[in-house]
Amino acid sequence: MASLRYHFAIFCAKGTKFALNLMGRGATTLPGKVAAKIDPKILAKLCKGRDCLTITGTNGKTTTTWIAAAFINADPARTCGYVTTVEANT
């Protein structure tokens, strides 16, 4: 069962994203930083029970994500969902 800290971190991250959208701000890392500050193990909890690949960096993240997803989805036995600052696909 997920902890109160986990749920609060998710709630605050979504609230941060909502506030940023109201202000007309585009993609930002702030919601993730807020969630990680509240619950430092948030990524481990979100990936629990799943194969998870996290792509970070300064340049090329979206392209790398699309290439990785295409590679994984080439195997009919596997499916891959991804989230980027450009689009979400599950």
Side-chain angles (χ1 to χ4, degrees):
M1 179 173 204
S3 68
L4 181 60
R5 178 182 293 248
Y6 168 82
H7 288 291
F8 186 63
I10 297 294
F11 175 79
C12 289
K14 288 182 178 185
T16 302
K17 184 178 184 307
F18 179 76
L20 288 168
N21 286 338
L22 283 178
M23 293 187 300
R25 300 290 302 262
T28 174
T29 61
L30 186 59
K33 288 179 180 180
V34 168
K37 190 72 168 173
I38 295 167
D39 188 352
K41 296 181 180 179
I42 190 86
L43 281 178
K45 292 174 182 177
L46 288 169
C47 291
K48 187 174 182 174
R50 300 179 179 99
D51 292 328
C52 201
L53 173 65
T54 304
I55 299 169
T56 64
T58 303
N59 297 310
K61 293 179 298 295
T62 301
T63 301
T64 303
T65 300
W66 289 344
I67 291 168
F71 181 74
I72 293 167
N73 286 327
D75 180 355
R78 302 188 75 169
T79 59
C80 176
Y82 57 89
V83 177
T84 73
T85 56
V86 176
E87 71 178 85
N89 177 331
T90 57

